[in-house]
Amino acid sequence: MPESFLLGRLLLQFNSEAADIITDLSAVALTPDGNLWVGSDETTSLERLSPVGPHIFGKHQRFAIADFIDLPGKSEIDIEGMDFSSDYLWLVGSHSTKRNKTKGKNADKDIERLAEIETDVNRYLLARIPMKDGILCESISHSDNQREQKVGCLQRTKTGNFLTDALKDDSHLGLYLSVPIPSKENGFDIEGLAVRGNRIFIGLRGPVLRGWAIILEIEVEEAEPGVLRLKEIGKRGKLYNKHFVDLNGLGVRELCWNGKDLIVLAGPTMTLSGATRVFRLKGILGRSGDSITGQDGGDLEVLFDLPFKVGTDNAEGLSLFPYLGEQNSLLVVYDSPDAGRMVEKNAILADVFKLG
């Protein structure tokens, strides 16, 4: 197994208002203007960081998602993926249910909590927000072609949104949505997003089926201002494609593009401390239907394992980042980071690896 090569680190400096989220970073995207956008699985906001020095990002600005998109609940979105494409910043929530945590104070109550499964409506979010000059906008007009880009959110339903409703009759995933099985118990759990034009690839942390992880592919179109619906794709008018990939039994933790290749960050589906592995998936843009890709044909290769620490440094966010002359370096941000990453109460170190 090739070893990871750490090129260096970035210092991410946040305002004091964000000191409580820097230990819960779950998504990152580098936009063409040089800004870094990060998301946390514990908030309802997006955070923009701008370059302030060599390998240092600061000038933190927070953007409340509710300023652009109606959020029906008050709980966190559980942001698990971000990408930038065609002047839109895309984001996705986990779309998952959760089992209550124990508190360690009363055994009987803890046992009761373990029987409680909750659904947060804000988690069922797939949205795009136009961006101009590093600022999120409700809409952007393009005078050259009279085109207007607007905020859009996949249509919500009583039980989730159009995507989860479409999957309820799926032969592979339907059971996981109809029961429903909580996240981190091999339940339905989105933790990856990569957008290329009108094609949206969504990585699932779970379920993993007999060792095969799943990447969903969809397209969307505007049904009415601010509302997106699934668009039929392929020759048979399907609403989604399923791409099964052999990630050595791991689930998808994040996706990002490297040219036409998809870089896949993979990690344990359950709440386990284990290896986090980086893969390269080739040729996915050339596929027109469901697919299954093992590691024998050359379209899926293991690149390296990230350094492993028990109970800390859970790799969550992924983005290409130019570093020390390497244009295709890989930026990684962490949930539950090691204490050594904490520079101050509101500053943390992210890693940059050689991609090769």
Side-chain angles (χ1 to χ4, degrees):
M1 173 64 58
E3 294 184 0
S4 60
F5 185 87
L6 181 65
L7 288 172
R9 289 178 161 177
L10 298 184
L11 178 61
L12 309 182
Q13 298 175 324
F14 295 84
N15 294 340
S16 57
E17 65 179 1
D20 58 335
I21 72 164
I22 62 175
T23 57
D24 300 300
L25 300 182
S26 57
V28 62
L30 176 68
T31 50
D33 55 19
N35 290 315
L36 275 180
W37 292 79
V38 296
S40 165
D41 54 13
E42 299 291 338
T43 69
T44 57
S45 62
L46 296 171
E47 322 298 327
R48 190 194 70 192
L49 300 173
S50 302
V52 296
H55 314 316
I56 302 174
F57 283 77
K59 297 182 180 177
H60 170 220
Q61 184 169 352
R62 170 168 285 183
F63 293 82
I65 295 172
D67 289 345
F68 307 93
I69 297 166
D70 180 37
L71 297 179
K74 296 182 179 181
S75 59
E76 79 275 357
I77 294 170
D78 199 19
I79 299 170
E80 294 291 357
M82 293 171 53
D83 199 7
F84 181 82
S85 180
S86 304
D87 295 325
Y88 283 112
L89 186 67
W90 290 81
L91 65 147
V92 67
S94 65
H95 288 59
S96 65
T97 59
K98 62 181 180 181
R99 189 179 300 277
N100 275 344
K101 295 180 180 180
T102 59
K103 296 184 178 180
K105 297 180 179 179
N106 183 295
D108 290 337
K109 289 184 178 179
D110 279 347
I111 292 171
E112 291 179 6
R113 289 190 183 95
L114 287 176
E116 298 171 350
I117 297 174
E118 296 183 350
T119 299
D120 293 335
V121 292
N122 282 350
R123 290 185 172 210
Y124 296 89
L125 179 69
L126 173 64
R128 64 186 188 189
I129 305 176
M131 182 188 298
K132 185 176 182 180
D133 299 327
I135 301 295
L136 298 181
C137 309
E138 292 187 7
S139 64
I140 298 175
S141 298
H142 299 268
S143 58
D144 54 342
N145 56 11
Q146 297 182 339
R147 179 173 60 95
E148 187 176 18
Q149 294 179 278
K150 300 178 181 179
V151 167
C153 175
L154 190 62
Q155 176 70 57
R156 296 186 180 90
T157 64
K158 292 182 179 179
T159 56
N161 61 20
F162 274 13
L163 176 59
T164 53
D165 281 12
L167 292 171
K168 283 188 175 179
D169 293 325
D170 184 79
S171 57
H172 296 99
L173 297 172
L175 175 65
Y176 292 88
L177 288 161
S178 60
V179 172
I181 302 171
S183 63
K184 301 177 181 60
E185 298 178 18
N186 206 35
F188 188 86
D189 190 5
I190 292 174
E191 283 209 11
L193 179 68
V195 183
R196 178 63 60 89
N198 59 348
R199 302 177 69 176
I200 303 167
F201 295 87
I202 297 170
L204 302 186
R205 175 174 178 167
V208 173
L209 306 180
R210 192 77 182 188
W212 293 91
I214 303 171
I215 299 173
L216 298 173
E217 177 188 356
I218 62 172
E219 296 183 19
V220 297
E221 59 186 1
E222 191 173 63
E224 57 185 83
V227 178
L228 304 176
R229 64 187 175 197
L230 296 179
K231 180 181 178 181
E232 291 186 354
I233 58 177
K235 297 179 181 179
R236 292 180 292 172
K238 296 167 56 181
L239 294 178
Y240 57 90
N241 290 325
K242 293 174 290 186
H243 302 290
F244 296 88
V245 287
D246 177 13
L247 305 181
N248 301 125
L250 302 174
V252 177
R253 303 297 283 269
E254 186 57 292
L255 304 170
C256 76
W257 293 108
N258 181 18
K260 295 182 180 180
D261 298 338
L262 200 56
I263 303 300
V264 183
L265 176 67
T269 298
M270 311 289 279
T271 52
L272 301 172
S273 291
T276 306
R277 186 162 290 176
V278 179
F279 294 78
R280 184 190 303 274
L281 178 61
K282 302 176 183 178
I284 195 167
L285 290 173
R287 304 174 193 184
S288 58
D290 295 344
S291 69
I292 185 166
T293 307
Q295 296 180 27
D296 298 331
D299 284 340
L300 180 65
E301 61 176 324
V302 181
L303 297 181
F304 54 84
D305 282 351
L306 292 176
F308 169 64
K309 295 182 179 181
V310 176
T312 188
D313 270 0
N314 300 324
E316 292 278 349
L318 201 67
S319 179
L320 285 191
F321 188 88
Y323 195 90
L324 297 179
E326 296 278 349
Q327 292 301 310
N328 292 330
S329 304
L330 198 62
L331 171 64
V332 179
V333 299
Y334 299 87
D335 193 357
S336 302
D338 183 80
R341 294 188 180 279
M342 304 296 296
V343 179
E344 300 170 351
K345 290 183 178 180
N346 60 336
I348 194 167
L349 293 167
D351 289 341
V352 183
F353 294 93
K354 183 179 175 64
L355 187 55

